[in-house]
């Protein structure tokens, strides 16, 4: 096993806003609270300690105890649930959709980052306890985003009728998915474990929430991971003051809109708020709450409420009120004694829109931490990279750029178009100096001729490169094949592959290795040679 770390920036797969955040660029400072370092966590602990009530802890611990009924959990997880009642216990949280069989590979990286950070903070601040939490996105309704996973380049798909919160979906129909999946696995010891995990998860539980809890618990229970389902009446009761405030005053829309106006001066915006950032949740639907004609309507239904009726519904049925992407982070921070949210670049980008909203409702804004990202290299792949003289950083180059670079490096022709361009530009610089002393039309003519000459050289360079690529066809094909195997669809493999591909080959050693090597606070991209 060999581990190499490179800056996230070097991969080319992370947004400007994330790179600026990692580099603590001053223009982003107004949009977050504490940075993920020792000083930041010390400050966050003190802030959360003052704001989080004992009663909330008791409700949280009891709700989790109830959610875990019927599940076999480790002593470590049970201990962590009990510890949440203590004032010196804090959570480190990540969230993920209920993707079929965990979905993309980064599911593992998110959770292991969370577990490892909790352990690291326990060493740094021994007077406190830190609990890793996985927040299941049970109330999402984007079924098309979660109803498949990729295995060995093929999509394993669950076809069923869409509608409502995915956590409540029946697991009916997943036996057919199981049969399709197992056809590709073989009969090795690791294959048998994957079959059993899928079967026990989806064929022995009635809904997607319970199935996902079972699978995540099986994979990570020895590390004390606590899994939470926000679709819970007692937890929603804790959130009702903020729901009421949203219905009456639309605080989130006002604050987030103002923040977006400032952020979009430099960055692309991840999500935009609605005037009311809440859904109404029924047994088989999740629809937006809209305020029109002095009444509250549930979009795409016949349900209509006056203000008084809706507030009474909130009091009697808090579970029916479901936060959207703007308010879900607040819900999380209201019900958890949380210090840090660990997520991908897209998630953290929309969290950065929310700080002024948190300030307005007087809830501490958590530390944001970009999850670990990993590129796995097999021994064969590492050897091929070496033979092709491709560095680990070069793996992530745009394929056209990578091929051009390697063809030029491998060429017998000792000819540099760069030198020729620089020489040409120097000659034209002298002409421009003369031109400035004459008529402006002559200066324009010189500039036009310069552009023409440079363009001519660039065209010749492309033709030479094309000829060299044709001559070095074997090299081209080997590079394309290797990079495509490392970056499926020219994307990070963690976004394309499912953990089962590596589990099939390495078994639980794969998870244990990730647990050993991932360092969440080092803020770098990991290349892991197995």
């Amino acid at each position: 096993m060999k581990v190499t770390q490179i800056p996230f920036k070097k991969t080319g797969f992370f947004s400007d806003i994330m790179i600026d955040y990692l580099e603590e660029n001053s223009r982003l400072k107004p949009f977050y609270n504490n940075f993920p370092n020792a000083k930041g966590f010390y400050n966050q602990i003190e802030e959360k300690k003052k704001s989080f009530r004992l009663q909330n802890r008791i409700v949280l611990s009891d709700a989790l105890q109830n959610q875990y009924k019927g599940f076999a959990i480790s002593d470590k997880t049970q201990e962590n649930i009990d510890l949440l009642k203590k004032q010196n216990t804090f959570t480190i949280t990540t969230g993920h959709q209920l993707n079929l069989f965990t979905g993309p590979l980064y599911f593992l990286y998110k959770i292991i980052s969370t577990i490892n950070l909790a352990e690291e903070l326990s060493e740094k601040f021994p007077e406190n306890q830190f609990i890793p939490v996985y927040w299941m996105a049970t109330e999402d309704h984007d079924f098309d985003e979660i109803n498949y996973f990729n295995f060995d380049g093929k999509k394993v798909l669950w076809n069923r009728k869409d509608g409502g919160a995915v956590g409540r979906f029946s697991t009916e129909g997943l036996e057919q998915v199981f049969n399709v999946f197992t056809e590709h696995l073989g009969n090795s010891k690791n294959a048998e474990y994957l079959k059993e995990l899928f079967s026990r998860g989806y064929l022995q539980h009635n809904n997607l929430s319970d199935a996902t809890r079972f699978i995540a618990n099986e994979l990570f229970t020895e590390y004390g991971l606590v899994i939470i389902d926000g679709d819970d009446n007692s937890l929603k009761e804790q959130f009702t003051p903020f729901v009421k405030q949203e219905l009456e005053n639309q605080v989130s829309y006002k604050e987030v809109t103002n923040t977006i106006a400032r952020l979009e001066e430099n960055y692309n915006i991840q999500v935009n708020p609605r005037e009311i950032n809440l859904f109404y949740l029924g047994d088989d639907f999740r629809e937006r709450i809209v305020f029109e004609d002095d009444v509250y309507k549930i979009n795409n239904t016949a349900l209509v409420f006056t203000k008084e009726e809706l507030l009474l519904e909130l009091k009697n049925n808090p579970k029916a009120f479901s936060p959207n992407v703007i308010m879900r982070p607040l819900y999380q921070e209201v019900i958890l004694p949380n210090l840090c949210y660990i997520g991908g670049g897209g998630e953290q980008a929309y969290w950065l829109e929310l700080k002024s909203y948190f300030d307005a409702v007087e809830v501490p804004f958590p530390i944001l931490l970009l999850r670990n990202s990993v590129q796995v290299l097999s021994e064969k792949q590492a050897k091929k990279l070496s033979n092709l003289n491709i560095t680990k950083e070069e793996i992530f180059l745009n394929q056209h750029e990578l091929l051009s670079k390697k063809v030029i490096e491998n060429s017998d022709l000792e000819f540099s178009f760069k030198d020729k361009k620089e020489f040409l530009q120097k000659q034209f610089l002298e002409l421009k100096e003369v031109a400035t002393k004459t008529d402006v039309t002559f200066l324009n003519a010189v500039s036009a001729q310069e552009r023409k000459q440079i363009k001519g050289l660039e065209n010749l360079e492309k033709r030479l490169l094309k000829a060299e690529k044709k001559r070095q066809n074997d090299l081209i094909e080997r590079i394309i094949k290797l990079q495509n195997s490392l970056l499926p669809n020219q994307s990070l493999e963690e976004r394309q592959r499912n953990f089962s591909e590596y589990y099939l080959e390495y078994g639980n050693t794969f998870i244990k290795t990730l647990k050993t090597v991932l360092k969440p606070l080092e803020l770098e991209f990991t290349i892991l040679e197995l």
Side-chain angles (χ1 to χ4, degrees), residues 56-91:
N56 291 56
R57 292 178 173 277
I58 294 169
V59 170
L60 173 63
S61 183
D62 290 348
L64 286 166
Q65 198 66 57
N66 188 58
Q67 289 182 16
Y68 270 96
K69 281 180 181 175
F71 291 87
I73 61 173
S74 67
D75 292 342
K76 179 67 174 170
T77 297
Q78 182 60 61
E79 179 188 354
N80 283 344
I81 291 172
D82 294 336
L83 279 172
L84 285 167
K85 292 182 179 179
K86 296 184 178 294
Q87 294 283 52
N88 67 335
T89 299
F90 301 94
T91 61

Side-chain angles (χ1 to χ4, degrees), residues 316-333:
N316 295 333
N317 188 21
K319 198 174 179 181
F321 294 79
S322 176
N324 75 354
V325 66
I326 294 292
M327 285 192 71
R328 192 216 62 82
L330 180 68
Y331 178 38
Q332 170 189 298
E333 296 303 310

Side-chain angles (χ1 to χ4, degrees), residues 306-318 321:
T306 64
K307 178 181 175 181
E308 292 74 20
E309 289 170 339
L310 193 61
L311 294 181
L312 183 61
E313 176 73 356
L314 174 61
K315 180 181 178 181
N316 295 333
N317 188 21
F321 294 79

